[in-house]
Amino acid sequence: MIDYIKGELTELTPALATIEAAGVGYGLNISLNTFSAIQGKKEIKLYVYEAIREDAYVLYGFVNKREREMFELLITVNGVGANTARMMLSGMSVAELCNAISTGNARLIQSIKGIGKMTAQRIIVDLRDKIVALGIAEEIPAGGQMQAPVNNQVKDEAVSALTMLGFAPAPTQKVVLQILQEQPDAPVETVVKLALKQIK
């Protein structure tokens, strides 16, 4: 079992981080919260969740243990897979998600793309007691706002991230352009978070 990987950050997109450790490059799927926290750093340490299936061996990376614990709890809920859990952790910080679960705010959880009413309610029922017991609710969002690059770069990275999350490129690009027209200085993670709530 891989607990964490520590090494040089060689490539980074809003959805994927590549860390070189001992001559091996590890590609880890990440959330936007982790992306914000590690951007601009050369040496990083990500906690790992290994998803081993018959057809794939996928690594997920997290900036801290609490984010990984939240991810592991989310995927125990019926109807929530690894990609959905990652999308939830991209749409909200661990603290925001814990707050929504502990207060029973199903509507806020439903605002994340792919989460329906039944799934949101199931998440609340299944995890409300567990997040308190594990102390995950004490999480403080990590990382700050990145500096906004050229609009085209923001647009391309946002569309790329959303495409990797499974959305069709054409409607994704339309939504991203609309967001950037309204908020030209918005960083990539903000654009993606807003887009996750708007893409149909």
Side-chain angles (χ1 to χ4, degrees), residues 148-180:
V150 179
N151 281 354
N152 277 339
Q153 185 180 340
V154 173
K155 182 197 75 175
D156 291 344
E157 287 188 14
V159 171
S160 172
L162 290 158
T163 304
M164 288 177 75
L165 287 170
F167 296 104
T172 297
Q173 183 151 317
K174 185 178 177 182
V175 170
V176 168
L177 281 171
Q178 186 179 344
I179 292 166
L180 283 171

Side-chain angles (χ1 to χ4, degrees), residues 4-200:
Y4 65 84
I5 297 174
K6 184 178 182 181
E8 181 184 353
L9 179 63
T10 57
E11 290 183 40
L12 180 64
T13 71
L16 188 74
T18 301
I19 303 176
E20 183 176 332
V24 179
Y26 296 91
L28 296 100
N29 291 283
I30 59 171
S31 71
L32 281 174
N33 291 317
T34 291
F35 171 75
S36 299
I38 66 177
Q39 195 179 40
K41 296 183 179 179
K42 188 173 181 182
E43 295 285 326
I44 63 166
K45 173 181 177 180
L46 291 183
Y47 292 92
V48 175
Y49 174 82
E50 299 172 86
I52 302 170
R53 304 191 301 265
E54 286 184 14
D55 60 339
Y57 176 54
V58 184
L59 300 177
Y60 292 86
F62 306 93
V63 70
N64 53 45
K65 287 185 176 180
R66 283 206 171 102
E67 190 186 23
R68 180 173 66 179
E69 286 171 357
M70 191 74 232
F71 176 88
E72 290 173 340
L73 284 178
L74 287 169
I75 61 175
T76 66
V77 177
N78 189 25
V80 179
N83 281 332
T84 301
R86 178 173 66 150
M87 197 175 296
M88 292 183 73
L89 288 167
S90 292
M92 292 190 224
S93 69
V94 175
E96 289 167 338
L97 195 48
C98 284
N99 186 51
I101 293 169
S102 62
T103 58
N105 192 340
R107 184 174 294 179
L108 184 59
I109 296 171
Q110 279 177 252
S111 70
I112 298 168
K113 178 69 178 175
I115 304 296
K117 184 177 181 180
M118 294 296 292
T119 303
Q121 291 173 344
R122 203 178 296 125
I123 289 168
I124 291 166
V125 171
D126 289 2
L127 302 186
R128 183 179 274 167
D129 293 338
K130 292 179 182 177
I131 61 170
V132 174
L134 282 173
I136 298 176
E138 297 169 5
E139 169 71 10
I140 297 170
Q145 292 291 322
M146 58 180 269
Q147 291 183 344
V150 179
N151 281 354
N152 277 339
Q153 185 180 340
V154 173
K155 182 197 75 175
D156 291 344
E157 287 188 14
V159 171
S160 172
L162 290 158
T163 304
M164 288 177 75
L165 287 170
F167 296 104
T172 297
Q173 183 151 317
K174 185 178 177 182
V175 170
V176 168
L177 281 171
Q178 186 179 344
I179 292 166
L180 283 171
Q181 283 167 2
E182 293 170 2
Q183 301 182 44
D185 295 327
V188 174
E189 62 268 26
T190 300
V191 174
V192 175
K193 283 182 183 180
L194 292 170
L196 285 172
K197 296 175 181 178
Q198 294 181 31
I199 299 173
K200 303 297 180 189

